[in-house]
Every structure is written in structure tokens, then in C-alpha cells.
Amino acid sequence: MTTPTEATDRSAHEQPEFGVLYAEIQQFYAHQMQLFDSFLAESWAGTFTEEAVFDVPTLPHPVRGRAGLVACVRHNEEAARRTGERLRHWLGMLDVQPRPDGTVHTRAYELVYLTPPGGEPTVHRVCVMEDTLVRRRGHWRTAHRVVSRDDLR
């Protein structure tokens, strides 16, 4: 029989490992989204695996590989120059599920804010983002991303 002290000790021992993983994933996304919103195309694409799949409803087909990811960011940057609008991506309600094979499945709500020149920011899109993350050379990388929009369901 497990005593309350043993259960508490085991719980305290197990939680930091998951807590560290969760903090790593949160930091990964904070960095990744800021690269994306800053149009740092190559750096952002570098947070994905070489063979990554990026499946978002704003594109007609899933993008495969880093060159395609860089092209997406360049397209967004050009659109922002034309309109003067600024997009910011905010992730929340992050669910992190480690898998036996070492990958991590994540699911998060993604709010996309749009700020027109001189205007007030508004929620532009409400999305769900699901990723498969892998650790490569000691760093987390997105291997597969699927984003769905609430208004298109």
C-alpha cells in the first residue's frame, strides 16, 4: 500500500520532468511565433524539420520543406508592406502530450490579431493548431503542423 507521503513524493518527483518539458515547449512556441511575426523567414523555417509539412487554411495546399516555409513568410511580409497591417499570433491553452517514440503532440488555440495602420487591434482569426514536434540536435523542431480555423468549420 502506498502511504500519502510516498504518493506525494512520487508526484513531486514526476511533475518536474513534465514541467520542464512543458516550459521548453512554451518557450519554443514563443520564439517561433515571434520569428514568424517579425518576418525572419530563414530563422522561422529553421524551427521546422527539413521535411516539415505546414498545412494551414490560408494556403491552397500544404507546404513541404523549409524552402516553401520561407516563401510563405516572404509572401506575408509583402502583403504587410502593401497594406500596412500587422498580424500577431498568440497561442494559449497549450496541451502537450509526449509520445512513446519521443515525439510530442501539441494542441493549442491560436488567436491572430490584426492591427491596421493607426487603428485598433482586433481578433482576425480564431484557430486550433496541432503539431508533431521532434527533438533534433538538442532543439525542438516542428515536423508537422495542421491549423484549422473556427470560421471555416
Side-chain angles (χ1 to χ4, degrees), residues 18 22 25 29 92-97 104-109:
F18 181 77
Y22 194 87
I25 301 299
Y29 282 129
M93 302 304 292
L94 176 62
D95 182 49
V96 175
Q97 297 293 322
V104 173
H105 179 266
T106 66
R107 186 173 192 274
Y109 295 155

Side-chain angles (χ1 to χ4, degrees), residues 46 48-51 66 134-141:
F48 289 78
T49 62
E50 289 285 344
E51 66 282 356
R66 288 183 178 160
V134 298
R135 195 179 280 280
R136 299 272 168 90
R137 296 186 200 121
H139 299 282
W140 288 108
R141 299 288 179 253

Side-chain angles (χ1 to χ4, degrees), residues 7-9 12 27 30-31 34-36 60 62 78-79 87 92 95 119 121 124-125 129 134 137-138:
T8 302
D9 288 346
Q27 177 58 35
H31 180 70
Q34 289 186 34
L35 292 171
F36 186 70
E78 181 56 35
L87 293 177
D95 182 49
H124 181 57
R125 295 185 189 110
M129 183 183 84
V134 298
R137 296 186 200 121

Side-chain angles (χ1 to χ4, degrees), residues 18-100:
F18 181 77
V20 168
L21 172 66
Y22 194 87
E24 285 179 359
I25 301 299
Q26 280 188 310
Q27 177 58 35
F28 169 76
Y29 282 129
H31 180 70
Q32 187 184 59
M33 291 302 163
Q34 289 186 34
L35 292 171
F36 186 70
D37 288 342
S38 298
F39 307 119
L40 297 171
E42 289 81 10
S43 295
W44 179 73
T47 66
F48 289 78
T49 62
E50 289 285 344
E51 66 282 356
V53 175
F54 183 68
D55 188 358
V56 297
T58 54
L59 299 172
H61 304 288
V63 171
R64 298 180 188 280
R66 288 183 178 160
L69 294 169
V70 167
C72 287
V73 175
R74 295 285 179 240
H75 173 79
N76 291 350
E77 183 177 28
E78 181 56 35
R81 278 196 193 123
R82 280 193 316 273
T83 66
E85 296 173 330
R86 174 61 88 179
L87 293 177
R88 297 282 188 223
H89 294 75
W90 184 269
L91 297 182
M93 302 304 292
L94 176 62
D95 182 49
V96 175
Q97 297 293 322
R99 302 288 190 219

